[in-house]
């Protein structure tokens, strides 16, 4: 039998959505493919070429430490930077991004020590440094791959690393800049010391953790004439009482400090008198319960602390005279008002020792053990020495009280062991070094740094006060460390008089050597090989009698010098940077050291703007930890859900605050992503037959609703661009979500489906809707590209082809306003905002009709609106009457203008069952179904669409 041709159905005539843009993103599988394509295309280089000659915007990367895999804090930081770089690039700037790594320092050296074990003792320093370099390089490669996996763009093939030879040379050059200007000195001063790692620490390397310390009250017997303090003390046995939480420092005690402005009292307990601060008498009576009965002691005299200056006491267990001194740091917040002073073990004590010419003897070695002491404690680690020293004080009848105190105590940020203050010979940069201001007035290095802070924009603004306080109160910068893996303090010291050599020509030759051989050169060449023949000491005249300083520079000095090692050196960058952005701890770290090194060398801050991010915490506000099992691994999330989800999570939070993360939050972000993707898919799927070169409808001819949605898109563009400009990515995220969910999904896209699907393919009304969808898709794709870099690139490939379209969305610029709204929008938004309000009332009426079972779907309804003549609503509704059926998603809508009514409302809305027949194609209920005999089952509008596509006539049953 001959084959019967298939009868076409009405459904086949609908313009149903078509696209190869997948509903399911499959991000974990597709993102690596996209990354490989970007690498193959060398997209970063293409971006640089596309922006060549544009105004520069430089975000300088604070280097993460090259040790271990990345964590969520790293992901937050790098995504923020990527958002900034991409938003600036798409705003028309040339915004190169050169990532970097911090490679030197103790954590890596410790890891290498563990790996090498006893073998390290047999290795020369260069071999150990080689092992450290290899370790750092391994983790640079790992972290680089993980950052790229998150879609972060940058010059990954050639990052900067603090262990690169040119960078090491720049570090040394920065040091010499300070050294030759007279900022640097070597001296014996108390510094934070880690007995576990055997090295000095800077302020930025100190963390405060809870610690239990012994709290003891010890009496010191007055040996000078008591009547010189107050006549009422004549002939009496007098003591003062000190309070300390570091009994191990008592062997180093050489003075007792009193505040000259504080009032002190003499309390008589039987035949013994005790001197303490008047405001602390109550606390002292309670705490000192081991000797006598201070609780009932009677006050017999009072006097200012100035009376105790240069009196003498006896040490409680050593044969040593103790000097009474005055110091304004003594307070009445706690203790007794008398502070025992050990110049080798505290900065305040040291300063007092300098003023009173007290001996600065340190009998604690690099391992934290007490030396040259009594048998009871000699050779013991400081904290283990506390107990025998307290016992010794008790046997000498000097222990007045003993308790335990739980308090915050300084710990090493690397090994988390308690620190001590220990006087050692270190290299320092003097904060009070005299300098000239830009106007030629005399000032200090510290004051110049404080002045420069005021010229920087701090975001959040409290950052200015925080770093200012730290600069204002910090001690001299201890820049030396007693380790191998780092840049050495390349100074020659005279063997005869120990004075350092400071010759700019010699210094320059060492910098040049480091550029070619790296800092290893300091370890592989002798002093004789490095110095010109005949070099003599400028202090004592000794010729060629020099040794090399073997301490290394503080790693914060190294990373802080990146403005010179990177910004000054890289031709595509500039100094000062437009932006530094890191975590809040960097006010005492990289922000701090960068500021000091730049002000010291350039007399200016290295940055114009500093943005600070908070900590990443779980939903209960707790820090992530292995023991709690609450961590969120960004690499794991990327492998399971997609790197795009990490990026969208970063965009969803205000990075200036502490931010919460959890598996549940990531899943919710993933759901938000799914909704956004579905919206993008809807846009693309309804542009399958749209050619911008042929089908764009001019602005004036667009349907009013299409003009309105484009006006809203333009408003979204302005909001997002403003949010990007202020680094408020969370506001961009919120604006995007609101637009997608409220303007598009809940209204516009739902309303125009009838026009898209049922109108003739080439009808102006349908092309009007497609024009708006195309402009929205073009705008959204570019606006989301800095955040959803993978998805935007995928959408870009599916947008209607254009002759001048660049190959990647990341080469494009943000949309110009003319691209979204190529005409005037005056009055459009106000009109439609009111129509939306009316639509909300209509929806309520339709729902009531649906609940009454009178209708199933809104297309079965008709809306009648009665509005008072002359009212604003009357003018508005008459103006847009033809658009109302589509806008309300009903089959029929009419506006009746009436005179004054007795109703309270200016406008009356009624929903009724539509009269007519249901169209077999568009499903509207209208009176003109069957008007065209060729297609008896369809309405007049659908008959026009069928005619436009040359659809054959059909019987009523073939639908």
């Amino acid at each position: 039998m001959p084959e019967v041709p298939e009868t076409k159905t009405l459904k086949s005539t609908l313009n149903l959505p078509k696209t190869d843009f997948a509903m399911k993103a499959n991000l974990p599988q597709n993102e690596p493919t996209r990354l490989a394509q970007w690498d193959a295309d060398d997209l970063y280089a293409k971006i640089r070429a596309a922006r060549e000659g544009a105004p520069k915007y430089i975000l300088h990367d604070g280097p993460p430490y090259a040790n271990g895999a990345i964590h969520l804090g790293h992901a937050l930081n790098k995504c923020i930077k990527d958002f900034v770089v991409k938003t600036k690039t798409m705003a028309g700037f040339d915004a190169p991004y050169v990532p970097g790594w911090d490679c030197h320092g103790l954590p890596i050296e410790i890891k290498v020590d563990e790996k090498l074990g006893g073998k390290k003792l047999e290795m020369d320093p260069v071999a150990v440094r080689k092992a450290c370099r290899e370790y750092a390089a391994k983790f640079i490669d790992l972290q680089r791959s993980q950052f790229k996996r998150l879609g972060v763009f940058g010059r990954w093939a050639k990052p900067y690393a603090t262990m690169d030879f040119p960078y090491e040379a720049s570090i040394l050059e920065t040091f010499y800049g300070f050294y030759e200007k007279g900022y640097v000195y070597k001296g014996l001063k108390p510094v934070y010391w880690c007995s576990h790692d055997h090295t000095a620490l800077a302020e930025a390397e100190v963390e405060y953790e809870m610690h239990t310390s012994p709290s003891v009250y010890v009496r010191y017997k007055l040996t000078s004439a008591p009547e010189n303090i107050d006549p009422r003390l004549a002939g009496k046995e007098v003591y003062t009482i000190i309070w300390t939480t570091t009994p191990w420092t008592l062997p180093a005690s050489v003075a007792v400090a009193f505040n000259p402005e504080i009032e002190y009292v003499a309390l008589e307990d039987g035949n013994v008198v005790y001197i303490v601060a008047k405001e602390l008498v109550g606390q002292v009576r309670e705490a000192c319960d081991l000797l006598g009965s201070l609780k009932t002691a009677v006050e017999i005299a009072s006097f200012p602390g100035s009376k105790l200056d240069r009196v003498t006491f006896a040490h409680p267990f050593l044969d040593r005279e103790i000097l009474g001194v005055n110091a304004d740091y003594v307070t009445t917040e706690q203790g007794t008002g008398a502070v025992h002073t050990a110049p080798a073990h505290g900065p305040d004590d040291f300063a007092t020792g300098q003023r009173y010419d007290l001996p600065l003897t340190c009998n604690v070695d690099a391992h934290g053990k007490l030396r040259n002491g009594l048998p009871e404690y000699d050779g013991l680690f400081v904290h283990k020495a506390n107990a025998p020293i307290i016992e010794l004080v008790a046997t000498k009848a000097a222990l007045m009280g003993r308790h335990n105190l739980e308090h915050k105590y300084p710990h090493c940020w690397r090994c988390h062991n308690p620190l001590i203050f220990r006087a050692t010979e270190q290299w320092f940069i003097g904060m009070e070094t005299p300098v000239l201001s830009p106007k030629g007035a005399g000032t200090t290095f510290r004051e110049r740094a404080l002045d420069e802070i005021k010229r920087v924009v701090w975001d959040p603004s409290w950052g200015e006060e925080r770093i200012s306080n730290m600069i204002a109160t910090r001690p001299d910068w201890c820049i030396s460390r007693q380790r191998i893996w780092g840049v050495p303090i390349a100074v020659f010291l005279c063997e005869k008089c120990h004075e350092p050599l400071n010759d700019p020509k010699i210094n320059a030759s060492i910098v040049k050597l480091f550029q070619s051989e790296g800092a290893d050169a300091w370890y592989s060449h002798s002093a004789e090989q490095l110095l010109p023949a005949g070099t003599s000491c400028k202090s004592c005249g000794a010729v060629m009698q020099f040794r090399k300083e073997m301490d290394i520079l503080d790693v914060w000095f190294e990373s802080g010098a990146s403005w010179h090692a990177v910004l000054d050196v890289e031709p595509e960058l500039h100094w000062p940077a437009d932006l530094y952005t890191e975590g809040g701890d960097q006010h005492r770290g990289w922000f701090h050291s960068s500021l000091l090194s730049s002000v010291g060398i350039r007399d200016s801050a290295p940055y114009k703007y500093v943005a600070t991010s908070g900590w990443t915490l779980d939903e209960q506000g707790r820090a992530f930890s292995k023991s709690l099992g609450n961590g969120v691994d960004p690499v794991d999330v990327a492998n399971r859900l997609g790197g795009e989800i990490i990026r969208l999570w970063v965009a969803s939070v205000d990075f200036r605050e502490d931010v919460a993360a959890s598996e549940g939050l990531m899943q919710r972000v993933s759901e938000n992503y799914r909704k956004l993707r579905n919206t993008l898919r809807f846009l693309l799927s309804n542009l399958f037959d749209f050619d911008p070169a042929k089908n764009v409808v001019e602005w004036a001819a667009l349907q009013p609703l299409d003009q309105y949605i484009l006006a809203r898109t333009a408003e979204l563009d302005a909001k997002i661009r403003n949010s990007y400009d202020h680094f408020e990515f969370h506001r961009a995220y919120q604006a995007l979500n609101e637009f997608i969910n409220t303007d598009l999904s809940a209204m516009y896209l739902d309303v125009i489906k009838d026009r898209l699907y049922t109108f003739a393919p080439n009808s102006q009304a349908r092309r009007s809707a497609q024009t708006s969808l195309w402009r929205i898709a073009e705008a959204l794709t570019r606006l989301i590209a800095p955040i959803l870099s993978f998805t935007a690139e995928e959408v870009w490939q599916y947008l209607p082809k254009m002759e001048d379209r660049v190959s990647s969305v990341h080469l494009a610029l943000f949309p110009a306003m003319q691209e979204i709204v190529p005409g005037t929008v005056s009055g459009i938004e106000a009109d439609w905002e009111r129509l939306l309000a009316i639509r909300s009332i209509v929806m309520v009426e339709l729902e009531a009709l649906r609940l009454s079972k009178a209708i199933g779907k809104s297309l079965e309804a008709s809306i009648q609106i009665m509005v008072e003549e002359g009212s604003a609503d009357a003018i508005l509704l008459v103006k847009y009457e033809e658009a109302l059926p589509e806008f309300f998603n009903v089959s029929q809508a009419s506006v009746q203008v009436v005179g004054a009514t007795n109703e309270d409302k200016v406008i009356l809305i009624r929903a009724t069952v539509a009269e007519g027949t249901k169209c077999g194609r568009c499903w509207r209920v209208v009176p003109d179904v069957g008007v065209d005999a060729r297609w008896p089952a369809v309405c007049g509008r659908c008959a026009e669409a069928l005619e436009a596509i040359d659809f054959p006539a059909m019987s009523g049953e073939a639908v």
Side-chain angles (χ1 to χ4, degrees):
M1 293 179 60
E3 192 172 308
V4 178
E6 184 181 345
T7 302
K8 288 188 176 182
T9 63
L10 289 177
K11 183 178 179 180
S12 70
T13 70
L14 297 176
N15 311 305
L16 296 179
K18 285 186 282 187
T19 182
D20 290 330
F21 182 81
M23 181 181 295
K24 188 175 180 181
N26 288 321
L27 295 173
Q29 293 76 37
N30 291 333
E31 287 173 344
T33 303
R34 182 71 61 189
L35 288 169
Q37 187 61 53
W38 283 338
D39 278 347
D41 293 343
D42 200 1
L43 179 58
Y44 180 76
K46 287 183 177 179
I47 294 171
R48 297 278 61 77
R51 296 295 180 270
E52 186 177 1
K56 291 277 189 180
Y57 187 91
I58 305 302
L59 182 159
H60 180 38
D61 189 34
Y65 200 66
N67 182 22
I70 68 170
H71 53 65
L72 195 61
H74 286 125
L76 175 76
N77 177 269
K78 275 294 190 286
C79 285
I80 291 167
K81 291 174 180 176
D82 195 49
F83 296 169
V84 171
V85 169
K86 283 174 178 165
T87 56
K88 292 299 180 184
T89 298
M90 296 189 74
F93 289 92
D94 181 8
Y97 176 60
V98 180
W101 273 273
D102 196 355
C103 306
H104 292 135
L106 194 57
I108 288 175
E109 191 171 343
I110 289 174
K111 290 291 184 182
V112 172
D113 284 355
E114 293 171 356
K115 182 179 179 181
L116 295 175
K119 183 182 175 183
K120 181 186 177 185
L121 300 175
E122 304 169 6
M123 298 169 65
D124 64 49
V126 174
V128 175
R129 289 171 60 86
K130 182 174 182 289
C132 291
R133 186 178 296 278
E134 291 171 351
Y135 180 95
K138 178 178 71 174
F139 283 104
I140 287 176
D141 288 343
L142 173 64
Q143 291 184 8
R144 171 168 40 204
S145 68
Q146 293 173 334
F147 287 138
K148 290 179 68 176
R149 176 64 187 83
L150 297 178
V152 178
F153 288 0
R155 201 183 72 182
W156 294 112
K158 190 184 175 185
Y160 79 84
T162 59
M163 66 181 183
D164 291 341
F165 290 178
Y167 194 111
E168 289 182 330
S170 292
I171 294 169
L172 186 60
E173 193 170 41
T174 305
F175 166 75
Y176 283 148
F178 278 102
Y179 187 47
E180 292 169 12
K181 289 181 178 182
Y183 287 74
V184 180
Y185 67 93
K186 190 174 188 181
L188 184 67
K189 291 178 70 173
V191 294
Y192 281 116
W193 184 267
C194 179
S195 303
H196 179 269
D197 295 326
H198 315 146
T199 188
L201 276 79
E203 293 280 336
E205 299 168 309
V206 177
E207 293 180 348
Y208 285 83
E209 301 175 12
M210 295 308 296
H211 181 74
T212 301
S213 298
S215 168
V216 296
Y217 293 78
V218 181
R219 68 180 188 175
Y220 282 49
K221 186 176 183 179
L222 184 72
T223 57
S224 57
E227 59 270 21
N228 290 342
I229 300 172
D230 190 286
R232 288 166 287 186
L233 302 182
K236 298 186 182 293
E237 185 178 346
V238 180
Y239 295 83
T240 191
I241 304 172
I242 66 95
W243 170 73
T244 183
T245 58
T246 54
W248 63 267
T249 62
L250 289 173
S253 181
V254 293
V256 176
F258 304 89
N259 191 312
E261 304 299 324
I262 289 177
E263 185 178 3
Y264 290 81
V265 296
L267 302 176
E268 188 169 39
D269 176 17
N271 297 322
V272 179
V273 174
Y274 295 102
I275 296 173
V276 297
K278 184 171 185 176
E279 288 187 36
L280 294 168
V281 167
Q283 292 183 30
V284 173
R285 289 185 192 274
E286 291 295 323
C288 296
D289 54 3
L290 297 180
L291 283 179
S293 41
L294 263 180
K295 288 185 179 179
T296 58
V298 178
E299 179 183 328
I300 62 171
S302 66
F303 36 83
S306 57
K307 286 286 189 178
L308 297 163
D309 192 31
R310 296 197 178 275
V311 301
T312 58
F313 299 90
H315 192 281
F317 56 82
L318 294 175
D319 183 15
R320 179 186 299 158
E321 184 177 80
I322 301 295
L323 184 66
V325 297
N326 277 171
D328 58 10
Y329 55 79
V330 179
T331 71
T332 55
E333 292 180 5
Q334 56 185 348
T336 65
V339 177
H340 107 79
T341 300
H345 299 296
D348 288 335
D349 301 48
F350 174 79
T352 299
Q354 294 290 97
R355 287 191 295 112
Y356 283 87
D357 196 24
L358 300 174
L360 181 64
T361 303
C362 182
N363 286 311
V364 176
D365 68 15
H367 298 272
K369 293 183 177 181
L370 291 166
R371 299 300 182 193
N372 306 315
L374 297 179
E376 287 86 347
Y377 55 82
D378 191 52
L380 293 179
F381 180 66
V382 288
H383 295 302
K384 290 186 177 180
N386 281 330
I389 289 174
I390 293 171
E391 186 60 31
L392 179 60
V393 171
T395 62
K396 297 294 184 179
L399 187 63
M400 300 291 293
R402 176 179 180 177
H403 311 277
N404 283 331
L405 177 69
E406 189 173 1
H407 61 141
K408 285 189 174 181
Y409 188 86
H411 285 66
C412 176
W413 73 324
R414 302 183 184 103
C415 66
H416 297 285
N417 284 298
L419 301 175
I420 62 174
F421 267 110
R422 173 175 178 261
T424 61
E425 198 170 44
Q426 302 288 342
W427 290 87
F428 297 89
I429 289 177
M431 294 301 297
E432 302 304 324
T433 302
V435 298
L436 293 178
S437 73
K439 295 182 178 180
T443 184
T444 65
F445 176 38
R446 186 191 307 275
E447 288 302 321
R448 279 296 303 127
L450 290 170
D451 289 342
E452 283 301 302
I453 289 171
K454 298 171 186 173
R455 299 177 61 241
V456 176
V457 177
W458 299 89
D459 182 9
S461 59
W462 52 256
E464 179 177 351
E465 182 178 3
R466 185 174 188 188
I467 194 170
S468 294
N469 289 339
M470 290 177 173
I471 295 291
T473 59
R474 66 158 298 138
D476 287 350
W477 187 359
C478 178
I479 57 171
S480 51
R481 299 292 182 272
Q482 292 65 51
R483 304 298 298 189
I484 293 175
W485 180 229
V487 174
I489 296 175
V491 171
F492 298 95
L493 301 167
C494 178
E495 291 277 23
K496 189 174 181 182
C497 70
H498 309 297
E499 282 296 305
L501 180 68
N502 191 351
D503 186 318
K505 289 185 177 179
I506 292 174
N507 296 343
S509 71
I510 303 300
V511 170
K512 186 176 181 180
L513 180 67
F514 276 31
Q515 287 172 341
S516 59
E517 297 184 24
D520 288 354
W522 193 248
Y523 298 89
S524 58
H525 298 279
S526 66
E528 290 74 16
Q529 292 172 319
L530 295 172
L531 288 169
T535 301
S536 62
C537 175
K538 294 178 182 178
S539 295
C540 70
V543 179
M544 293 302 290
Q545 296 184 43
F546 294 95
R547 60 182 172 85
K548 295 179 294 181
E549 172 61 70
M550 300 310 293
D551 282 357
I552 63 171
L553 284 162
D554 170 22
V555 291
W556 288 110
F557 186 93
E558 291 193 14
S559 60
S562 62
W563 60 265
H564 176 50
V566 181
L567 298 181
D568 275 355
V569 172
E570 297 288 349
E572 61 181 339
L573 307 180
H574 65 224
W575 176 96
D578 295 289
L579 176 66
Y580 276 37
T581 178
E582 302 295 334
D585 56 338
Q586 297 308 311
H587 290 106
R588 64 181 182 135
W590 189 56
F591 299 156
H592 194 115
S593 61
S594 298
L595 175 75
L596 291 182
S597 61
S598 184
V599 170
I601 304 303
R602 287 281 179 82
D603 199 29
S604 183
Y607 36 65
K608 301 174 185 176
Y609 193 111
V610 175
T612 307
S613 53
W615 297 100
T616 52
L617 308 171
D618 69 10
E619 289 185 275
Q620 284 73 49
R622 301 173 300 180
F624 294 133
S625 72
K626 290 182 180 178
S627 61
L628 290 175
N630 61 346
V632 176
D633 180 358
V635 177
D636 172 65
V637 173
N639 289 338
R640 288 188 297 107
L641 302 177
E644 209 76 307
I645 304 308
I646 289 289
R647 297 178 67 89
L648 196 57
W649 167 75
V650 174
S652 73
V653 299
D654 183 354
F655 69 81
R656 296 160 181 81
E657 307 290 338
D658 291 342
V659 297
S662 67
E663 177 65 24
L665 279 173
M666 293 299 171
Q667 292 290 348
R668 290 198 286 277
V669 170
S670 182
E671 178 61 20
N672 286 343
Y673 170 81
R674 185 188 65 80
K675 293 177 182 177
L676 172 62
R677 185 180 180 87
N678 284 346
T679 300
L680 293 169
R681 187 172 187 272
F682 182 93
L683 298 177
L684 293 173
S685 65
N686 283 288
L687 294 171
F688 66 90
D689 63 342
F690 183 80
D691 182 349
K694 301 175 182 176
N695 304 133
V696 168
V697 176
E698 295 299 317
W699 174 259
L702 288 176
Q703 296 282 308
L705 180 59
D706 301 332
Q707 290 183 336
Y708 167 69
I709 200 63
L710 289 177
R712 291 288 292 157
T713 306
E715 186 178 327
L716 173 73
D717 174 78
K719 282 183 181 178
I720 288 181
R721 295 280 297 277
N722 183 64
S723 297
Y724 285 163
D725 287 344
H726 292 89
F727 311 136
E728 294 179 325
F729 305 110
H730 63 294
R731 296 194 187 280
Y733 171 86
Q734 291 162 2
L736 176 66
N737 271 348
E738 183 180 358
F739 181 75
I740 292 292
N741 295 327
T742 304
D743 292 89
L744 294 185
S745 298
M747 191 274 289
Y748 182 70
L749 300 185
D750 187 51
V751 165
I752 65 169
K753 285 178 182 176
D754 180 60
R755 201 170 1 138
L756 288 170
Y757 301 166
T758 69
F759 280 43
N762 205 35
S763 68
Q764 180 153 321
R766 181 169 179 269
R767 293 304 190 196
S768 174
Q770 286 185 303
T771 299
S772 72
L773 292 183
W774 171 65
R775 293 194 186 279
I776 292 168
E778 287 279 348
L780 285 183
T781 306
R782 283 180 274 177
L783 289 172
I784 67 172
I787 294 172
L788 295 173
S789 298
F790 294 101
T791 303
E793 188 76 300
E794 184 183 1
V795 173
W796 192 253
Q797 310 309 317
Y798 286 98
L799 286 170
K801 302 303 179 187
M802 296 177 66
E803 188 176 339
D804 58 348
R805 184 184 299 286
V806 290
S807 60
S808 168
V809 69
H810 300 294
L811 294 168
L813 295 170
F814 284 133
M817 190 62 65
Q818 189 70 15
E819 295 179 66
I820 303 172
V821 180
T824 178
V825 296
S826 177
I828 291 176
E829 288 196 76
D831 283 356
W832 284 92
E833 292 298 332
R834 177 56 187 153
L835 288 171
L836 281 167
I838 294 171
R839 185 175 185 266
S840 298
I841 302 171
V842 169
M843 294 300 109
V844 173
E845 295 295 324
L846 287 172
E847 183 61 20
L849 198 62
R850 188 179 293 112
L851 290 174
S852 72
K853 307 296 185 183
I855 63 169
K857 296 182 178 179
S858 60
L859 275 178
E860 298 170 19
S862 172
I863 295 295
Q864 298 88 42
I865 303 177
M866 287 180 288
V867 63
E868 188 174 341
E869 184 178 6
S871 66
D873 283 339
I875 297 169
L876 179 70
L877 289 164
V878 169
K879 178 181 178 181
Y880 292 104
E881 185 171 7
E882 288 185 10
L884 295 182
E886 176 187 65
F887 188 51
F888 298 152
N889 201 20
V890 296
S891 291
Q892 302 159 26
S894 62
V895 177
Q896 183 180 359
V897 178
V898 299
T901 68
N902 294 322
E903 301 288 344
D904 293 334
K905 299 178 181 178
V906 176
I907 185 169
L908 292 172
I909 298 173
R910 291 195 178 95
T912 60
V913 177
E915 295 181 359
T917 305
K918 181 179 178 180
C919 174
R921 184 170 179 272
C922 69
W923 295 2
R924 292 183 308 139
V925 178
V926 288
D928 65 347
V929 171
V931 69
D932 192 318
R934 292 173 295 175
W935 303 287
V938 305
C939 65
R941 193 185 74 187
C942 284
E944 291 177 8
L946 294 175
E947 185 175 37
I949 62 172
D950 296 325
F951 190 73
M954 60 191 302
S955 61
E957 64 272 6
V959 295

